[in-house]
Amino acid sequence: MLIDTHCHLNFQAFADDLEPVIKSAHGAGIEKIINVGADLLSSQKAIEIAQKHESCFAAVGIHPHHADKLENSWEENLAKLAKQPKVIAIGECGLDYYEHENGSIIAPEIQKQIFLKQLRLAQNLNLPVIIHSRQAHDDVVSIIHKLSSIILPRGVFHCYSAGKNGIEKITQLGFYFGIDGNLTYDPGLQKVISLIPLEKILLETDSPWLTPVPFRSQRNEPKNVRIISEWLARIKNTGEKDISQTTSQNATELFNF
């Protein structure tokens, strides 16, 4: 059995066929699915799916792309969502310094404030965090370190992209590495992942994005976590059973479900 620790069945891309997609995942041996929020609305949707489907769980959070679009009551409302049944993490939250084609980027200071507040919420509720970090690795690690004097947060770096140099710091923090479908078509990532202990890896699809080979032009789905598992087995030169057992145990230990 496998676990998709990060997808977005709560997004519009699955509005018309959510039930068949979940059923297809079950048929592929996907035991559990974590739907991850990006704002208050998608977080609420993730909870609704989790409460309707036994195999589904929810993470609630504010993605950095939404950090400048929040009302004054967002923090209180997110805390209420986080206390709902089957919510097992805060996220995805973090920093994103990628500059889009129009040159736009949300002010880093605003992003940092929203991220820090979510980390504190996770600490207060004893929940792990799902970290979004894009071209902002040093700042993300620095902010997490600031809280370590209280209780070091625990969690996963979703869709790990900080290269070989980021492995040691994340390992020292005790965080996991989220591995997605880009593993199947990014030779550089394959080399990086070969250096990460299997005991620190979680499998993700990030559906509907990051569709693995050979379905890259299609919408991604949780069932495709099996493809990622197969590629990881080849890279680690081990059996798929070992990948399944270890990554599922990793997810169970982190998310406590």
Side-chain angles (χ1 to χ4, degrees):
M1 303 297 286
L2 292 163
I3 298 176
D4 184 355
T5 62
H6 192 121
C7 69
H8 300 285
L9 301 185
N10 48 329
F11 283 16
Q12 187 62 32
F14 298 99
D16 296 331
D17 61 348
L18 175 64
E19 303 295 331
V21 167
I22 294 175
K23 185 176 181 180
S24 180
H26 293 164
I30 313 307
E31 182 180 14
K32 296 176 182 177
I33 298 169
I34 301 176
N35 286 301
V36 181
D39 55 18
L40 294 176
L41 186 61
S42 60
S43 293
Q44 175 62 48
K45 180 64 175 178
I47 294 172
E48 292 171 0
I49 294 172
Q51 293 178 352
K52 184 177 179 181
H53 296 273
E54 183 179 359
S55 64
C56 293
F57 297 81
V60 299
I62 307 298
H63 190 287
H65 286 171
H66 298 281
D68 63 344
K69 305 176 181 69
L70 299 172
E71 298 180 356
N72 292 334
S73 59
W74 77 268
E75 202 170 352
E76 177 184 355
N77 291 332
L78 183 63
K80 289 179 180 178
L81 291 176
K83 297 173 185 177
Q84 295 298 308
K86 298 192 75 177
V87 174
I88 46 80
I90 301 298
E92 61 187 283
C93 58
L95 304 176
D96 192 321
Y97 295 167
Y98 176 76
E99 187 173 300
H100 295 274
E101 292 181 2
N102 60 5
S104 65
I105 178 175
I106 295 172
E109 286 308 313
I110 293 177
Q111 293 191 46
K112 290 176 182 179
Q113 291 173 16
I114 303 304
F115 179 36
L116 183 57
K117 288 181 178 181
Q118 291 180 87
L119 287 175
R120 286 174 174 157
L121 174 63
Q123 286 183 313
N124 291 338
L125 298 178
N126 193 28
L127 290 173
V129 288
I130 296 175
I131 303 292
H132 174 101
S133 177
R134 190 177 188 189
Q135 297 183 8
H137 181 71
D138 288 344
D139 280 356
V140 168
V141 170
S142 175
I143 289 173
I144 293 173
H145 267 301
K146 287 180 181 178
L147 295 182
S148 62
S149 60
I150 309 171
I151 301 174
L152 185 65
R154 55 196 173 92
V156 55
F157 275 72
H158 160 57
C159 194
Y160 179 68
S161 61
K164 297 178 182 178
N165 294 334
I167 295 175
E168 183 177 0
K169 288 183 178 179
I170 291 177
T171 302
Q172 290 174 348
L173 287 172
F175 274 62
Y176 289 85
F177 299 77
I179 307 304
D180 299 65
N182 53 339
L183 178 70
T184 68
Y185 54 83
D186 185 338
L189 180 61
Q190 293 166 12
K191 293 179 181 178
V192 171
I193 299 310
S194 69
L195 303 175
I196 299 174
L198 183 56
E199 290 73 21
K200 301 302 297 183
I201 289 177
L202 301 181
L203 300 181
E204 313 175 329
T205 62
D206 203 25
S207 301
W209 301 292
L210 295 178
T211 309
V213 170
F215 305 113
R216 285 191 65 186
S217 62
Q218 302 177 28
R219 179 190 66 177
N220 202 5
E221 296 183 17
K223 68 179 180 181
N224 290 332
V225 77
R226 182 161 295 282
I227 298 175
I228 303 168
S229 174
E230 292 168 355
W231 276 77
L232 185 59
R234 289 196 289 271
I235 291 170
K236 292 294 187 182
N237 192 29
T238 188
E240 291 179 39
K241 183 177 181 180
D242 186 26
I243 299 296
S244 174
Q245 289 180 339
T246 304
T247 58
S248 294
Q249 180 178 340
N250 296 343
T252 300
E253 291 178 353
L254 176 61
F255 296 113
N256 193 28
F257 61 3

